[in-house]
Amino acid sequence: MSIEQGDRALPQAAGGAVAVRPRLDWPDEPRLAQRNPVSAWLRFFASEIRLVFGRPRNLALLGVLGFVPVFFGVVFRLTISSVDGGGGPPFLNQLAGNGVFLALVVLTVMLTVLLLPLSAAVVSGDAIAGEAALGTLRGLLTVPAGRTRLLAVKYAAIVVFSLAACLLVAAMSLVMGLILFHVGQVTLLSGTTVSLGAGVLRVLAVAVFAAAAMASLSAIGLAASTLTQHPVGAIAGVLIVTVASEICDQVPQLSAIHAYLPTHYWLSWDGLFRSPTDWSGVEHGLVSFAVYAVIFGSIAWAKLTSADVSS
Amino acid sequence: MSLSAQLAGAIHASTETDAGFAVTSSGLSKRFGGGQLAVDQIDLAVPAGSVYGFLGPNGSGKTTTIRMLLGLIRPTAGSHAMLGLPMPGRQADALPLVGSLVEGPAFYPHLSGRANLTRLDAADATADAATARRRIDAALARVGLLGAADKRYKAYSLGMKQRLGIATSLLRPRQLVILDEPTNGLDPQGTREVRALIRQIAADGTTVFVSSHLLAEVEQVCTHVGVMRAGRLVYQGSLAQLRGQAGLLVRTPKPELAAQVLAELGLAGIRQGDGADQEVTAELGAMLPEVICERLVLAGVPVAGLETPRRSLEDEFVELTGEGFDVD
C-alpha cells in the first residue's frame, strides 16, 4: 500500500524539518516571551500548592491529623493516673508534669502507627499517578509544563504538605497540652530545666525533623507514583515499604542493615531533649533521609522523563 | 469583520508566501511493547494555514500519531517536526505555540472550569501571569462557557467538557491547534458548534489538525485530509484533489449538438447517453459551468438541465479504508 500523494503542492516530507517561521503578529504577545523562569516556576508551584491543599481528600486528611492530638490529649488526661510509672510511649511519664510533652507523645505515636506515613503516602503516591489516572498529566505535558519541572514542583509541594502536617500535629498537641495539663518550665531527659519557650522551640524542631522523615518517604512515594497509573497502588506500595522496614528494624538478627532502613531514624530526635543537645541522632537521620530522597527522586526522574504517557 | 481580524488577516496574507508546513514527519512509527505496530512509517505534511482532517477508523493509529507529534510518547522510528522545529528536541519552543486536545477532555473534577484553565496556564513557563485572567476569560467566552466558568467541572455536560478541552488550546495565540476527536460523544448541535469553532480558529490563520473517525463531521471544514488505515497513511492531499475532478452533465433534447459544442470548448471524455435519456456527460476540467451553459445556449442548444456531479467522498473513503467510516 503506497501513499497517494494527491496534491502536487504537498511534497513528501523530507527527513529534515521544513522551516516555518513562527508567526509573531499577535498584538499582546509580540514574541514567545522569555519569562523569568524563577517567577514562572513559583507560579506553577503556587498552583500546585493550591491543588494539594484544595483537594477535599487532603483537607480531610489534615482534619484527621489535627483531631488526633485532641483525642490523645483527652484520653491521656482521663487515664493519666493509671499510666503513671511505666509502659506506654516514651515521654508519657513526663506528660503529667508538663503538657508540652503531649506533642512528643503524639508525634511518636503518629509516626509509629502510620498516621503521618499514611498522609505522606497518599499525597506522594497520588502526585503523578493521580494526574495520569485523571488524564490531566497529558494536558500538563503538552502545555508544556516540562517533565523535570513538573516533578520538581510536585516534590516541593509534597514537602510543604509534609511540613504542614507535622507542624499541625505539633501545634494542636501544644494547644491541647496547654489546655489539659500543667505547663511550665521543661525538664529535659538529662535532668536540666529550660524555659517553656525553649521547650516549645525544641518541640517544633522535632516536628521539622519528622517532616524531613516524611519528605524522604514521599520521595519513595513519588517514584512509585511514576511507575503506575493507579494511585492506590503507589500509596499501598509506600505503606508496604514502611511496614516492612519497621518490622525489619525490630528483628535483632537483621541488626546489620538496621541503619540502612528508611524508617530507622524516624524517632532519633531524643537528643534534642538533652543538655547539651546531642545532635548525632538527628544528623544521622537527616543524612539517611537525604540519601533516600536523592535515590528515589532520581528513580522518579529517570522514569518520568523517559516514559510514554498513554493515559 | 472586526479590525483585529482584518489586521490579522492582512498580516497573515503577507506571511503566507513563506508559509511551509506546520507539521512534517518522516517514517514516523510506533511499535508498542507487545509488538503491535500501531503506526507504520507515516510521512505527514500538514500545510501551514490548512485545516487538516486526520481521518481513519477507530484503532487505525490516529491518537498514537497525535501523542507522538506532541512528544507524549516516543516514536520507535522516524522523525517529525512541528512549526519547523524538530521534536522532541525543541519541544519547549514548539509546544507553547501548539494548542491541543488529546483523547478527550481531562480536568480536575472538583475545580471550576476557570480554575482548571488557570492551573494549565500556570504550568506554562512562557505564559504571562499578568494577562492570565483576561486570556482565560477570552478562551472561555470563545467556547461559550463564560456563564458556566465558576461551575465545578464535574457538573459540566459532555458538550461543555469537550468545549473546555478546546478552550485550553485557545489560552494563548497559537500557530497550530491539534484536536483529537473533538466531536466525540457530542450531539448534532454540539458537533455543529465544534465545526464553527474550528472555522473561527482557522480564520485567524491558525493551522488546525483535527482527527475524526467520522468523515461527515469534518468534511465541511477541512481543506486537506490524511487518511489512516491500520497504522498507515493511505492518502494525503487536498480535499478537492481527493474529490477528484467534477464531471459535467447536460440534459437537452439535442444531445448531438450539445456534444459538438462541448467538443469545440475542448472538454475531454464527452459521452452521449444511450437512447432516450438525452444526456451528455464530459469532464469539467478547468471550465466554469456558467461559461459552458452560456455557449450551449448561444449555439442554440436547449438546456433542460446542467449539473456538475462529484463522486461522493464517502465512496472515496470506503475505497481507501476498506470499510465504512462509522464501523460502530
Side-chain angles (χ1 to χ4, degrees):
Chain A
M1 204 184 305
S2 69
I3 296 176
E4 288 180 45
Q5 208 66 41
D7 191 336
R8 266 170 299 151
L10 289 185
Q12 203 97 358
V18 180
V20 177
R21 240 188 304 138
R23 275 180 47 223
L24 304 170
D25 51 1
W26 296 90
D28 53 341
E29 223 152 0
R31 60 183 55 85
L32 186 55
Q34 292 305 306
R35 314 255 171 232
N36 180 346
V38 175
S39 63
W41 193 93
L42 288 175
R43 186 178 173 224
F44 190 14
F45 175 64
S47 154
E48 183 66 28
I49 289 286
R50 271 196 300 276
L51 193 71
V52 168
F53 285 88
R55 187 157 284 183
R57 184 201 59 201
N58 293 353
L59 289 177
L61 213 51
L62 287 177
V64 170
L65 292 180
F67 173 75
V68 168
V70 178
F71 174 79
F72 276 122
V74 171
V75 168
F76 291 146
R77 183 73 189 84
L78 295 176
T79 60
I80 197 83
S81 51
S82 60
V83 296
D84 239 359
F91 301 105
L92 194 56
N93 295 334
Q94 284 93 331
L95 189 53
N98 199 324
V100 169
F101 284 103
L102 180 63
L104 303 182
V105 175
V106 169
L107 278 169
T108 306
V109 169
M110 290 179 80
L111 282 168
T112 46
V113 304
L114 297 183
L115 274 169
L116 279 169
L118 175 72
S119 66
V122 165
V123 175
S124 64
D126 190 54
I128 302 294
E131 302 271 6
L134 270 180
T136 44
L137 182 59
R138 59 175 187 261
L140 287 171
L141 293 184
T142 52
V143 155
R147 296 187 184 210
T148 305
R149 190 165 162 267
L150 175 65
L151 202 63
V153 162
K154 285 277 176 193
Y155 189 59
I158 292 167
V159 170
V160 169
F161 185 84
S162 297
L163 190 62
C166 292
L167 287 176
L168 173 72
V169 169
M172 287 300 290
S173 301
L174 286 170
V175 169
M176 291 313 293
L178 194 71
I179 295 171
L180 296 172
F181 299 94
H182 167 75
V183 170
Q185 286 193 323
V186 179
T187 308
L188 300 178
L189 295 173
S190 52
T192 35
T193 301
V194 297
S195 70
L196 178 61
V200 167
L201 271 182
R202 282 166 201 250
V203 167
L204 293 180
V206 171
V208 171
F209 182 81
M214 292 305 98
S216 111
L217 183 68
S218 297
I220 299 177
L222 193 61
S225 193
T226 60
L227 300 173
T228 172
Q229 290 179 16
H230 307 286
V232 173
I235 294 164
V238 178
L239 291 178
I240 289 168
V241 166
T242 308
V243 171
S245 169
E246 289 193 345
I247 290 172
C248 290
D249 211 12
Q250 300 301 316
V251 177
Q253 285 82 352
L254 296 175
S255 60
I257 63 162
H258 281 174
Y260 305 103
L261 292 170
T263 62
H264 183 71
Y265 292 100
W266 281 9
L267 299 176
S268 70
W269 40 260
D270 53 342
L272 292 176
F273 281 83
R274 292 183 192 281
S275 184
T277 310
D278 174 12
W279 291 99
S280 65
V282 170
E283 278 168 11
H284 280 126
L286 292 178
V287 168
S288 162
F289 302 156
V291 167
Y292 268 99
V294 166
I295 291 173
F296 282 90
S298 305
I299 291 172
W301 178 81
K303 177 64 183 161
L304 186 65
T305 51
S306 64
D308 276 357
V309 176
S310 45
S311 60
Chain B
M1 201 199 269
S2 72
L3 182 63
S4 64
Q6 278 181 5
L7 188 68
I11 296 168
H12 183 222
S14 70
T15 54
E16 218 157 32
T17 45
D18 61 58
F21 293 93
V23 180
T24 56
S25 80
S26 168
L28 199 64
S29 306
K30 179 68 185 180
R31 187 185 289 278
F32 282 114
Q36 174 211 356
L37 192 59
V39 175
D40 187 7
Q41 298 188 38
I42 67 170
D43 299 316
L44 287 169
V46 178
S50 67
V51 178
Y52 187 99
F54 194 47
L55 304 164
N58 287 322
S60 59
K62 303 187 300 293
T63 295
T64 302
T65 302
I66 287 175
R67 283 181 181 275
M68 279 195 283
L69 292 180
L70 292 168
L72 289 173
I73 62 179
R74 279 159 189 265
T76 41
S79 61
H80 74 286
M82 295 223 290
L83 305 169
L85 302 166
M87 292 284 289
R90 297 282 307 276
Q91 65 177 345
D93 300 316
L95 289 182
L97 299 167
V98 179
S100 60
L101 166 65
V102 186
E103 220 181 344
F107 295 97
Y108 307 98
H110 67 284
L111 295 183
S112 69
R114 180 182 277 126
N116 267 297
L117 293 188
T118 307
R119 159 84 174 157
L120 284 173
D121 195 65
D124 187 347
T126 59
D128 182 7
T131 60
R133 177 86 191 186
R134 185 163 55 81
R135 287 183 290 108
I136 288 162
D137 279 2
L140 285 165
R142 235 173 134 182
V143 298
L145 278 182
L146 203 50
D150 295 316
K151 252 169 99 169
R152 284 175 176 218
Y153 176 71
K154 63 180 164 199
Y156 278 17
S157 69
L158 189 58
M160 292 161 84
K161 288 177 176 174
Q162 199 71 265
R163 280 188 280 159
L164 187 65
I166 296 175
T168 62
S169 65
L170 304 173
L171 280 177
R172 45 188 301 179
R174 312 283 191 183
Q175 298 194 20
L176 170 64
V177 168
I178 296 180
L179 303 174
D180 186 16
E181 300 273 4
T183 57
N184 231 5
L186 296 187
D187 55 15
Q189 171 63 26
T191 304
R192 260 198 300 280
E193 287 171 11
V194 167
R195 269 201 301 265
L197 260 171
I198 291 174
R199 278 199 196 94
Q200 276 181 36
I201 298 168
D204 293 347
T206 304
T207 307
V208 182
F209 183 95
V210 54
S211 83
S212 181
H213 67 284
L214 294 172
L215 165 66
E217 287 191 348
V218 293
E219 179 190 341
Q220 301 165 40
V221 291
C222 290
T223 59
H224 294 74
V225 289
V227 181
M228 293 288 285
R229 177 187 182 180
R232 309 207 63 166
L233 187 64
V234 293
Y235 177 86
Q236 173 167 258
S238 75
L239 197 61
Q241 208 79 31
L242 181 63
R243 273 196 177 130
Q245 294 294 333
L248 175 73
L249 185 150
V250 181
R251 238 177 250 109
T252 170
K254 293 183 176 174
E256 292 83 7
L257 184 55
Q260 195 185 321
V261 174
L262 293 180
E264 283 166 16
L265 283 168
L267 294 190
I270 299 165
R271 247 182 299 166
Q272 248 174 278
D274 304 325
D277 57 358
Q278 300 191 319
E279 284 177 0
V280 182
T281 59
E283 285 170 22
L284 185 58
M287 195 69 74
L288 293 169
E290 53 267 38
V291 173
I292 295 171
C293 187
E294 187 186 11
R295 289 295 193 84
L296 287 169
V297 172
L298 288 175
V301 177
V303 178
L306 187 144
E307 288 174 32
T308 55
R310 285 172 187 274
R311 234 182 124 195
S312 112
L313 265 185
E314 200 72 45
D315 293 344
E316 296 277 356
F317 276 108
V318 169
E319 200 170 283
L320 285 168
T321 62
E323 54 184 308
F325 244 73
D326 199 1
V327 288
D328 306 327

